């Protein structure tokens, strides 16, 4: 028995990678760290922007790593345990995380800023030119 997927139509060609990405996203259930995604209005005729804000309280700039790899934005946080401190109660763990966001074609990361325990990553997608190309038809006898 074959499985029906949204991309199983014969009219949708080359979307295999998108289907695998959607399956991977559906399986990931980690909700740490919490985050917001907001749309920032276009200003002065510039492209619309997005901002991803992650709650990373307790992480210093040196503990965080923001990278893009192919079509993914990857945010990693690594804290090391301070063995010199003696805790009577430890409710705040030095927890590592990795949060991935899949980016559409053309999305660019503008920059990242850490302020008051919130890491903000700004993205935009410049308007692309509409490309129309005539395909020549060859006739073979």
């Amino acid at each position: 028995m074959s499985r029906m997927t949204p991309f199983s139509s014969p009219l949708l060609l080359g979307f295999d990678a998108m289907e695998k990405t959607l399956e991977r996203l559906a399986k990931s259930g980690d909700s740490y760290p919490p985050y917001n995604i907001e749309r920032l209005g276009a200003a002065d005729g510039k492209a619309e922007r997005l901002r991803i804000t992650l709650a990373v309280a307790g992480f210093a700039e040196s503990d965080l790593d923001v990278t893009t790899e192919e079509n993914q934005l990857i945010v990693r946080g690594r804290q090391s345990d301070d063995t010199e401190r003696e805790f009577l109660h430890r409710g705040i763990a030095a927890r590592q995380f990795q949060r991935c966001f899949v980016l559409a074609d053309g999305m660019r990361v503008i920059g990242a800023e850490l302020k008051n325990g919130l890491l903000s990553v700004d993205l935009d997608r410049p308007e692309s030119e509409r490309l129309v190309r005539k395909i020549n038809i060859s006739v073979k006898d």
Side-chain angles (χ1 to χ4, degrees), residues 34-49:
Y35 64 93
N36 292 334
I37 301 175
E38 59 184 304
R39 184 185 322 266
L40 305 174
D44 302 330
K46 293 183 179 178
E48 182 178 73
R49 293 184 348 193

Side-chain angles (χ1 to χ4, degrees), residues 79-130:
Q79 287 180 318
S80 57
D81 278 334
D82 188 0
T83 56
E84 296 177 9
R85 298 166 69 184
E86 180 182 349
F87 291 97
L88 299 177
H89 170 75
R90 180 116 189 224
I92 304 172
R95 185 173 178 186
Q96 297 184 18
F97 71 87
Q98 177 174 308
R99 172 70 71 182
C100 296
F101 299 91
V102 178
L103 303 177
D105 288 340
M107 293 293 294
R108 295 184 310 184
V109 176
I110 300 170
E113 178 185 28
L114 180 62
K115 183 178 179 183
N116 297 329
L118 297 174
L119 175 66
S120 297
V121 181
D122 289 345
L123 305 114
D124 77 346
R125 179 179 9 199
E127 290 291 324
S128 59
E129 291 182 26
R130 186 174 167 164

